[in-house]
């Protein structure tokens, strides 16, 4: 029986490689990292925080850029990346901004919100740059600051939704290479 074990192992690896897939991705990412409560955590929406559950108010930071440097997919083990793309230019000097949005059916007006960013004890207000309707379903409000994205080191973002409802988030600008590896037991297309 022991001489059949290597054959069974090889057969298992062949079957596994024919029915599974491994992914590897390397990306250069510039973004604001948020720490704080996501009020709709059961939803997965990359780069979006929900600052209120009902009505649902989404927040997306304007300081975000991503360049996929390379990605591979292969049964069992991904092949090494031989050709890589060039990373994007740094966005650290771009203006700090964030976008809030809600459904048009919600009776909400976010144009008068008080939003402040506290960096090293110095509070800087964000002002409404513009509001627009997107796809006849959502209203977007873009708020901007005089700060640059890279200046948001160890900052605290405060959004006053009402006198008794303030959302607080720690913000940090990060830039660098991120790697992601995933293994799926069946092919994903």
């Amino acid at each position: 029986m022991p001489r059949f074990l290597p054959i069974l192992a090889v057969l298992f690896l062949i079957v596994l490689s024919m029915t599974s897939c491994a992914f590897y991705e390397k990306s250069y990412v510039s973004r604001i990292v948020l720490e704080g409560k996501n009020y709709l955590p059961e939803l997965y929406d990359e780069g979006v925080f929900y600052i209120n559950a009902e009505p649902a108010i989404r927040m997306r930071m304007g300081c975000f850029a991503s360049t996929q440097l390379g990605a591979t997919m292969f049964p069992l083990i991904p092949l090494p990346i031989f050709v890589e793309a060039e990373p994007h230019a740094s966005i650290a000097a771009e203006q700090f901004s964030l976008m809030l949005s809600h459904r048009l059916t919600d009776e909400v007006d976010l144009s008068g919100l008080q939003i402040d960013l506290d960096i090293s004890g110095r509070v800087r207000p964000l002002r409404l740059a513009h509001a627009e309707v997107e796809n006849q379903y959502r209203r977007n409000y873009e708020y901007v600051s005089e700060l640059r994205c890279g200046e948001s080191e160890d900052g605290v973002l405060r959004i006053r939704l009402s006198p008794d409802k303030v959302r607080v988030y720690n913000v940090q600008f990060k830039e660098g290479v991120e790697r992601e590896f995933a293994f799926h037991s069946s092919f994903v297309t």
Side-chain angles (χ1 to χ4, degrees):
M1 191 74 119
R3 67 180 178 191
F4 292 111
L5 286 178
I7 294 171
L8 287 175
V10 169
L11 285 174
F12 176 73
L13 288 176
I14 289 171
V15 169
L16 187 63
S17 69
M18 292 173 59
T19 62
S20 62
C21 198
F23 298 89
Y24 173 75
E25 181 178 295
K26 181 179 176 184
S27 299
Y28 185 76
V29 180
S30 306
R31 66 178 171 181
I32 296 286
V33 177
L34 290 172
E35 283 183 25
K37 184 173 179 183
N38 190 351
Y39 286 82
L40 288 176
E42 66 274 1
L43 294 176
Y44 178 76
D45 197 354
E46 175 114 32
V48 175
F49 260 71
Y50 286 82
I51 64 170
N52 203 52
E54 195 55 46
I57 300 173
R58 300 183 338 171
M59 175 175 65
R60 184 183 298 271
M61 303 306 293
C63 298
F64 180 83
S66 179
T67 302
Q68 189 177 67
L69 302 178
T72 59
M73 177 183 82
F74 201 73
L76 210 53
I77 299 172
L79 295 172
I81 299 171
F82 297 111
V83 178
E84 290 190 1
E86 289 294 318
H88 58 266
S90 176
I91 65 166
E94 290 186 17
Q95 188 174 30
F96 183 95
S97 68
L98 65 86
M99 175 128 7
L100 298 177
S101 65
H102 64 83
R103 293 183 303 263
L104 282 177
T105 56
D106 296 330
E107 300 295 322
V108 180
D109 181 17
L110 303 177
S111 61
L113 288 183
Q114 180 184 346
I115 303 175
D116 297 318
L117 185 60
D118 185 342
I119 306 287
S120 301
R122 185 169 177 205
V123 178
R124 297 177 181 168
L126 275 73
R127 61 177 170 72
L128 181 65
H130 69 278
E132 65 183 9
V133 174
E134 172 192 356
N135 299 335
Q136 299 179 357
Y137 299 107
R138 300 195 71 76
R139 181 175 304 278
N140 297 329
Y141 302 83
E142 184 179 18
Y143 286 85
V144 297
S145 170
E146 299 304 319
L147 286 171
R148 302 293 165 213
C149 294
E151 294 175 320
S152 59
E153 297 294 323
D154 299 321
V156 177
L157 178 68
R158 289 184 186 82
I159 303 171
R160 186 173 302 276
L161 295 174
S162 66
D164 59 336
K165 193 185 288 186
V166 178
R167 304 299 191 225
V168 178
Y169 297 94
N170 294 326
V171 296
Q172 180 81 31
F173 181 71
K174 299 211 177 204
E175 203 165 47
V177 174
E178 293 182 358
R179 292 173 170 81
E180 186 176 338
F181 177 79
F183 182 79
H184 299 278
S185 58
S186 60
F187 281 115
V188 178
T189 57

